Amino acid sequence: MRYWLMKSEPGDVSIDDLAGFKNQTVAWYGVRNYQARNFMRDQMQVGDGVLFYHSNCKEPGIAGIAQVSSSAYPDATQFNKKSKYFDEKATHETPRWFNVDVQLVKKISLISLDIMRRHPELENMRTLQRGNRLSITPVELSEWKFITTKLAGK
DNA sequence: GCCAACGTTGGC
DNA sequence: GCCAACGTTGGC
């Protein structure tokens, strides 16, 4: 059992979008970074905890708790010529990009980036490190516990 | 919209 | 295999 923070732009898929999807589940398509891909492909397991993070928006922060609900499988958008995620070097025989499914557990009142930065318990979080741009980062158990029990639901 | 930081690409 | 140029991310 591992824990992750996954960034989504709310203009693309927000926590409310996720809540409205069938089974409250979304395929985490569009990841085009090898490190983030490898996390999904090699390390994620069904049931892993996910902090659903709104990025590149007016109020960045953790918007909900979710979970990994499938193992990794090829990202369909890499084969779709009309998609901005199309990759001409990917084939069905040797796909390049993978995604997992992510299912909503519960929406929470936003834990803003500003709040996250104020808590020394979270100062080592990968996503808060200077220059970090990875859209998927591992979360330590202690960080997960602090966020889900101390910060969520206030 | 700016721009710092980082990842990827491609010529050599 | 180096590294400059370019593209992307994401907070502000």
Side-chain angles (χ1 to χ4, degrees), chain A residues 4 35-44 134 136 138:
Chain A
W4 308 93
Q35 244 184 302
R37 178 203 70 180
N38 292 347
F39 283 142
M40 289 198 284
R41 191 190 59 184
D42 305 335
Q43 295 196 30
M44 281 192 188
L134 261 188
I136 298 175

Side-chain angles (χ1 to χ4, degrees), chain A residues 48-117:
Chain A
D48 280 4
V50 173
L51 302 173
F52 189 103
Y53 181 92
H54 281 173
S55 76
N56 202 11
C57 59
K58 196 171 178 183
E59 288 188 300
I62 298 168
I65 310 296
Q67 64 179 350
V68 175
S69 63
S70 80
S71 51
Y73 57 92
D75 179 339
T77 61
Q78 70 191 304
F79 308 123
N80 179 1
K81 281 187 178 167
K82 290 179 182 166
S83 169
K84 68 172 178 173
Y85 298 116
F86 176 69
D87 185 340
E88 60 180 5
K89 292 180 181 168
T91 66
H92 287 275
E93 291 71 33
T94 55
R96 222 190 230 211
W97 306 108
F98 292 80
N99 63 245
V100 297
D101 288 342
V102 172
Q103 181 174 35
L104 180 66
V105 174
K106 64 171 179 179
K107 182 181 173 180
I108 61 175
S109 60
L110 188 83
I111 302 171
S112 70
L113 178 60
D114 185 53
I115 289 174
M116 292 167 69
R117 289 200 192 282

Side-chain angles (χ1 to χ4, degrees), chain A residues 119-122 141-152:
Chain A
H119 289 283
E121 292 88 344
L122 302 180
L141 175 60
S142 60
E143 296 161 351
W144 171 266
K145 279 187 175 170
F146 183 75
I147 289 166
T148 55
T149 67
K150 298 277 174 28
L151 298 185

